[in-house]
Amino acid sequence: MKKKDLISKWLNFNLSDTEKETFENLDVSASYHRIDRAAKYFKAPEFNTESSYQDLKNKLGNRKKSIRPLYGYISGIAATLVVAFGLFALLNSPQSTEYVAENSARTEFVLPDTSEVILNAGSSISFKEENWDDSREVNLEGEAYFKVAKGKKFSVHSSQGVVTVLGTQFKVKDRSTYFEVSCYEGLVRVEFEGKTYELAAGDAVKAYGDMVVSEKTALGKPSWLENKSVFKSVPIREVIQELERQFDVQVSGEAITSNTLFSGSFSNQNLDTALQAITIPLNLSYSINGKSVVLKK
Amino acid sequence: MSTPLFKNVCDEQYFSKLYEEHSKDLHDFIYYKYGEHVNPEDKVQEAFIKLWRNCKTVAPEKARSFLFTVINNITLNDLKHKKVVLKYQQSKPKQHTNESPEFIMEEAEYLAKYQAALAKLTEGQRVAFLLNRVEGKRHKEIAEMLNISRKAVEKRIYSALEKLRKEIDGI
């Protein structure tokens, strides 16, 4: 392939693995990468669609009043139509499809466009199958890994942020007080508390408390796909909550509300080993009684 | 539903959907094309006001191209022959943990060179390049936005990259 075509393919996020290698071996690839990275500094300022639409509505406010009398004229016909249309809409309204992964379980499924989703324990996803071709949007509670097929914009709405991509691999973790997005391939945009973060492959952003931290992820896939839960500087209470979901147990006692940062991992297959992995570094002991675990000093 | 539900864009719900879908693209398009001093956000609103006033005559499938044409005309009427300087953001997109003073200085120099090099691109090159690299848009999407062929987009972005590299590396 000609050098120019190769570079154009890179610019269109379209390189295959072997082409990627050829590209990286170009003498100018470092310059290109740097130009690419630095381009982000020139990003257009944040555009808030919602507030700017409110402004527009205010500006248009006077205008609309003058149109209103027309509505009166046709309201008779409209009323009949509303009934008919309401019935039609009721029968045709797109149904939400929902997938749930219970505690200590994992669910894998394929979206209508062949995008793959893997839900981690204690998570759920819903989306409208009928409108899928028009808007690829899912609502997520919990944690999931996405391998998105190329196509239109794909958005993940969660309680704390919105993540949009075109075609890539990434995971979103949204647990009450903790929010994390890791990008494994392609480019991901995260909207969180009014700010936008752009993640390239290997980037991650996580937020807990008042902290927002950008970092690198060396992993090619979320660790829980290999039945391990890995944490890097994560508050210990999040680690314990993850343990509760993975093994479907209730943890009580010491450290469960602590904000101390924990780096380490535990296996999702054996509760004993997992508890040891957490308690030994923290100098705690534990006892298991059926579905409840108590941590002690 | 494949048959269009609305004959024109006068329906307020549909209008707000159009706003949601296109306003950011319009904003970015104007920002990268003309820079900040033209107030891209105001231009977006003016374009939509114009759409609302003409809502009876604009077919829904024509709304997007109507908006892009109108916003461009509005902005052109507003300014003539001004040189575009895109400012680089003070906040950094990435965190560096171990920044030496040399690193910071080198980075600042690099960005200054970058800024100058961007200003030397043609308008077409700059818009396509930044939409691609910063907003992550594919060639096809940009082609639709700018109403040019995909090949032309590819060429603009490639030549922009080459020009930037030569300017910045000082070759």
Side-chain angles (χ1 to χ4, degrees), chain A residues 7 116 193:
Chain A
I7 293 164
E116 294 164 34
E193 287 183 341

PDB file of all heavy atoms in Angstrom, chain A residues 7 116 193:
ATOM      1  N   ILE A   7      -1.567   6.452   5.532  1.00  0.00           N
ATOM      2  CA  ILE A   7      -1.782   7.569   6.457  1.00  0.00           C
ATOM      3  C   ILE A   7      -3.246   7.995   6.446  1.00  0.00           C
ATOM      4  O   ILE A   7      -3.840   8.261   7.491  1.00  0.00           O
ATOM      5  CB  ILE A   7      -0.846   8.740   6.097  1.00  0.00           C
ATOM      6  CG1 ILE A   7       0.605   8.318   6.369  1.00  0.00           C
ATOM      7  CG2 ILE A   7      -1.180   9.975   6.900  1.00  0.00           C
ATOM      8  CD1 ILE A   7       1.634   9.188   5.737  1.00  0.00           C
ATOM      9  N   GLU A 116     -21.271  -6.085  20.693  1.00  0.00           N
ATOM     10  CA  GLU A 116     -21.317  -7.042  21.798  1.00  0.00           C
ATOM     11  C   GLU A 116     -21.280  -6.319  23.140  1.00  0.00           C
ATOM     12  O   GLU A 116     -20.583  -5.321  23.291  1.00  0.00           O
ATOM     13  CB  GLU A 116     -20.111  -7.985  21.732  1.00  0.00           C
ATOM     14  CG  GLU A 116     -20.125  -8.889  20.529  1.00  0.00           C
ATOM     15  CD  GLU A 116     -18.759  -9.508  20.289  1.00  0.00           C
ATOM     16  OE1 GLU A 116     -18.038  -9.777  21.280  1.00  0.00           O
ATOM     17  OE2 GLU A 116     -18.415  -9.701  19.116  1.00  0.00           O
ATOM     18  N   GLU A 193     -20.547  15.546  34.609  1.00  0.00           N
ATOM     19  CA  GLU A 193     -20.687  16.782  35.376  1.00  0.00           C
ATOM     20  C   GLU A 193     -20.365  18.008  34.537  1.00  0.00           C
ATOM     21  O   GLU A 193     -19.604  18.885  34.938  1.00  0.00           O
ATOM     22  CB  GLU A 193     -19.790  16.739  36.618  1.00  0.00           C
ATOM     23  CG  GLU A 193     -20.369  15.791  37.653  1.00  0.00           C
ATOM     24  CD  GLU A 193     -19.559  15.768  38.940  1.00  0.00           C
ATOM     25  OE1 GLU A 193     -18.389  16.190  38.913  1.00  0.00           O
ATOM     26  OE2 GLU A 193     -20.122  15.328  39.949  1.00  0.00           O
TER      27      GLU A 193
END
